[in-house]
Amino acid sequence: MKKPIEKKPPKSKAKNATAGIGGAQSKKLNDKRFPIVGLGASAGGLEALRSFFAQVRPNSGMAFIVVVHMTPNQPSLMPELLQKVTKIPVSTAQDGQTIEPDHIYVIPPSKEISIFKGRIQLMDIAGAHAAQPIDSYLKSLSLDQGTRAVAVILSGTGSDGTLGIKEIKANDGLVLVQTVESAGYDGMPRSAINTGVVDMVLAPEAMPEKIIQYFAHFNHVVAKNSTTTNDQGILLNKIFAILRTHTGHDFSQYKLNTLLRRITRRMGLNQIDKHEQYVRFLKENPTEVEALFQELLIGVTNFFRDPESFDVLKTSILPDLFNQMKEDATFRAWIPGCSTGEEVYSLAMVIREVLEANPKRINLQLFGTDIDNRAIDKARAGLYPESISADVSKDRLKRFFIKEGGFYRIRKETRDCAVFSVQNLIKDPPFSRLNLLCCRNVLIYLNLAAQKKLLPLFHYTLAPKGVLVLGSSETIGGFSKLFSTLDKKWKIFKRREVPPALYEPIDFPSGSPSADIKTAIDPMLEPDHTQFNMAQVIQKAVFEQLDTAALLIDAKGNILFVQGRTGKYLETAIGPPTQNILEMARAGLRIELSSAIREAKSTNHKIIRKKIGVKTNGDYQFINLHVCPQTEPKGLAGRLLVIFEEVEPPLRSDSQLGTPEDHRREPASMAELERELQNTREGHQTAIEELESSNEELKSINEELQSTNEELQSTNEELESSKEELQSVNEELHTVNAELQSKVGELSATHDDMRNLLNSTQIATIFVDNTMRVKRFTPEAVGIVNLIQTDIGRPLQHVATNLTYTDMITDISDVLKNLTPKQVEVMTAKGDWYKMRIFPYRTMDNRIEGAVLTFASINEQKQSQQILSTANQEMTHAWRLVRNAFDLNPDPLVVLDREAKMVIANSVFAKVMKIAPDEVEGMDVLKIKNGLIGRSDLKAKLKVALENGKDFQVVASGKTQSAGIEKYIVTGRVICADDERPHQVLLHFTEQQRKASKDALQ
């Protein structure tokens, strides 16, 4: 049987597996990788496993690993039992064995199994994993196989497998659970279903075909949906719109790959090939919309995830934060994306452990938020499966949890410090004044735009020196100026104090609905952040026009870019550094330059000024000035290009040389012209200075206006900040209100339960405080103590009672003083009897806040006692009559039970047998040592009489008090010979001589 299996079937089976799972389209995918199905079961799991494997095809192309709770160190018959229902080879898993398709591997007893690179790793069970082998196996399977991992939870007790299926689902594996109705023991299936991550709930025999269909479809969904990026974006936008309409949440800011992967999984589960078909399916099936919503919200969480990071917080981060706080201050922490609350409670445990070593009294307030209201409800309940013992130490379980059956519930003092609320991190207002913000493994699911929006917001929400904790795969990106690194490995950062001018713009959420979904995703969803190179654009624009010295300026004359050597025309102005071209222009250029710039801006046409003399170092340089408005490319619109074109100085012609007389007059004319020119220059200079002075005044006024504007802006920012803080406070109040409403609902339900419980017991109950004022009472108490509703708050001693017992108030005082419960039987004026119990009223934190009085009716007991007392008296009287009748008889008489022990004897019998009358009852008649009975065959006769119910006679002889030998005829008569109660025998002793005389007389 084994040879044909070992020779070469693996290759052929792998080929068949490929065909079985995905057909020709998936051969390439399945050449090396194939699904591995992990099955977990405990009590009642054998029948479920047999039903499952009876329906598995021999060429399914999948491997199966069975993990069942077994008795340690006992051989397992599981492989032989499963082999009877399947043609697939079944064997016990071996350490280091390579997993092959179309094989079934069963975990050996006392071993823990893991998967690493497709090989089985067996280890001895130790520690917390001893009770949770399925969880441990499924976690390793999910890490090793990812999307090719399948978890199947079958019949069993407890909650093993609950944490493991979360890991499978987080890595996009497939999760199936047996229906509760078909399970012999529904503990494991029910716990798994309650997680909300289960893909299918089926009977075991229906599971194999569903798994095959899923992978057959999954392998070619991507190939059939190879649409263009734009088309894909349009389809995703439709899905986002449907989700937002149904749930109110916008998923367009989630990472594209994550979204596509999760949507593809849902398409595979519903056997849908194309996105267009899936969009139509969503529109027609609201339940699928909810399922997709839950699929997108899948988050992996457990207690003390990445335990080293919590150790760093405990030893290095939290002590410093607490040392900076004042006495009676409140430590505020926010955990967004908290899922079912494990991380919130983990942080609460660590903080409480640190606070124990801190001498200050510091209050604790944690805010846990998540988009999933079902997860928040579970977090509020604080009830977790016992499999958390794999992540929580025994000391912490004992200190912070209460065991309730197969679950652990977080203790009240830890639960009370945490507030849970449904919140959309991107849309809803954040919390503020935080000492710690723990946002782990949330940003990795969001795109870059959402991350850039949230990190400045996180900086705003943190108090000075507050700490931000991100996941190990997350980073603060380009916001290093807002945060300093405390721990590089575990991504722990401290808030930096930066000047207001360097604050990043904050898109503060207001709680309003999200903006319309963007029309592009990935490259489609995110804008193109590519920036053009300004230098290259300007150089290209300049070279296209003139290859010479040039500057690019804005409309105000500020220099944006310089091309070529411009030192001949511009120089640094006296005073503060400036980049304004008009202030830097050399003598002879400023007026023409200013005029040309104004004209170019007003006409939007190129302006040329020719042969302008610019004063350089003791000489003049003549230039042609070009000012060109820019319209293309788009990045330069509104800018001006200023070009300096050098030209030759103008030359005089021969006709201008003149006559000799002109030459003589030339010096005087030249001098006069120079004086006029000088006057003109001085006047021009004065006008310029006056213009500049006016300009300075205008600048001063402008600066004042700017200062006023800045003050107004500052005031506006303060108002905005106040508004944001009010929004944050409002959000906190909303969150606290939601929490209080939840608690009020719980208290109302608890109150109803307690009221019905007290009423069903029909026990009158009265609650009083430490001053013995009435707090509340049950309706049954009204007949004992004359209470009405308005008596609540009155001292109990002021209320009249129907009891004949007068020490009730004294007893309550004693109980409050000594804290020792007391019970007394009391009677009412009507003759009704009650057992009154008084107990101290203890709160959950062990404080005494009054007492509880209960009155339980004991009328039936009292009546029974009276009947018993009467019967006892009658029996005593009858007994005396019997004894007297016995003593009147002159012959010895005795009654024996079935054991030959004496029940009653007369005084004559005691005298003859030489025993004290008080020793008669209970003595064995056969052990009397006077020899009278010992020489007879009384014992044999008694036995026969008791068995057959017949009377008898026997002769007994012995020494008498007169030292003579006397013989007695012993007559035995059986009493109550029926079977109603044990037989008794009456022995009548008659002296033989006296009997003979009597017979003679007769």
Side-chain angles (χ1 to χ4, degrees), residues 278-569:
Y278 187 63
V279 171
R280 187 162 54 252
F281 184 71
L282 283 173
K283 290 180 180 178
E284 297 170 355
N285 295 275
T287 54
E288 177 60 21
V289 180
E290 182 63 28
L292 178 60
F293 175 65
Q294 293 298 327
E295 181 81 29
L296 297 177
L297 294 182
I298 292 300
V300 183
T301 183
N302 55 268
F303 283 96
F304 298 100
R305 191 173 184 84
D306 297 327
E308 291 182 23
S309 64
F310 284 94
D311 293 339
V312 172
L313 282 174
K314 183 176 181 179
T315 58
S316 304
I317 307 300
L318 291 175
D320 292 341
L321 286 175
F322 293 142
N323 291 335
Q324 298 165 10
M325 299 181 71
K326 297 180 180 179
E327 187 79 20
D328 278 330
T330 300
F331 183 88
R332 292 163 58 87
W334 179 26
I335 302 91
C338 69
S339 190
T340 49
E342 286 90 336
E343 185 152 354
V344 178
Y345 292 128
S346 298
L347 193 60
M349 287 184 258
V350 170
I351 292 175
R352 286 196 173 276
E353 290 171 352
V354 176
L355 285 176
E356 286 184 350
N358 194 297
K360 297 178 184 176
R361 177 185 174 88
I362 296 176
N363 302 313
L364 179 59
Q365 189 172 36
L366 288 87
F367 300 98
T369 62
D370 197 273
I371 197 174
D372 186 1
N373 56 355
R374 294 200 301 185
I376 289 297
D377 289 340
K378 292 180 181 179
R380 285 173 176 162
L383 188 67
Y384 300 97
E386 61 183 350
S387 54
I388 64 170
S389 58
D391 302 312
V392 185
S393 66
K394 291 183 179 179
D395 292 339
R396 283 173 171 159
L397 283 174
K398 183 178 180 181
R399 178 181 174 188
F400 296 106
F401 293 87
I402 298 173
K403 188 72 180 296
E404 294 184 2
F407 295 86
Y408 285 102
R409 188 182 293 277
I410 200 78
R411 287 187 181 273
K412 184 177 184 296
E413 56 269 22
T414 305
R415 170 65 184 88
D416 288 346
C417 70
V419 177
F420 294 96
S421 173
V422 177
Q423 184 203 42
N424 188 325
L425 183 60
I426 299 174
K427 184 178 72 173
D428 297 328
F431 298 93
S432 60
R433 306 186 307 281
L434 301 170
N435 303 99
L436 178 65
L437 200 165
C438 192
C439 183
R440 301 201 310 161
N441 302 320
V442 175
L443 298 182
I444 57 175
Y445 296 106
L446 303 177
N447 60 24
L448 185 60
Q451 293 181 22
K452 287 186 175 181
K453 174 183 176 180
L454 288 176
L455 286 168
L457 189 67
F458 289 167
H459 181 269
Y460 165 79
T461 60
L462 287 169
K465 298 183 181 179
V467 173
L468 170 67
V469 182
L470 299 179
S472 57
S473 301
E474 297 169 334
T475 178
I476 57 174
F479 296 97
S480 56
K481 63 183 178 182
L482 299 180
F483 300 95
S484 58
T485 303
L486 296 180
D487 190 284
K488 187 176 181 181
K489 179 180 179 182
W490 297 112
K491 305 300 173 64
I492 303 176
F493 306 93
K494 184 169 73 173
R495 182 186 193 269
R496 278 184 173 173
E497 297 305 312
V498 295
L502 297 180
Y503 279 170
E504 291 286 338
I506 300 175
D507 184 4
F508 196 88
S510 62
S512 59
S514 304
D516 290 337
I517 298 173
K518 300 177 182 179
T519 57
I521 299 183
D522 193 29
M524 313 167 296
L525 283 178
E526 300 183 14
D528 185 7
H529 298 285
T530 307
Q531 297 181 351
F532 60 85
N533 190 315
M534 180 70 77
Q536 293 179 359
V537 172
I538 295 171
Q539 287 176 4
K540 181 179 179 182
V542 172
F543 290 143
E544 286 178 354
Q545 299 181 56
L546 288 171
D547 187 9
T548 182
L551 300 96
L552 183 71
I553 62 174
D554 61 15
K556 296 181 180 180
N558 296 316
I559 299 172
L560 301 177
F561 187 78
V562 178
Q563 174 68 31
R565 296 175 178 272
T566 59
K568 291 181 181 181
Y569 323 112

Side-chain angles (χ1 to χ4, degrees), residues 791-810:
D791 287 333
I792 294 177
R794 288 182 59 193
L796 185 61
Q797 55 265 40
H798 293 177
V799 181
T801 72
N802 296 323
L803 298 175
T804 58
Y805 183 71
T806 59
D807 293 333
M808 181 177 69
I809 302 300
T810 304

Side-chain angles (χ1 to χ4, degrees), residues 169 215 223 291 359 494 517 545 566 619 665 747-748 990 1000:
K169 191 63 178 289
F215 282 104
K494 184 169 73 173
I517 298 173
Q545 299 181 56
T566 59
D619 198 358
R665 281 188 249 166
L747 289 173
S748 177
T990 306

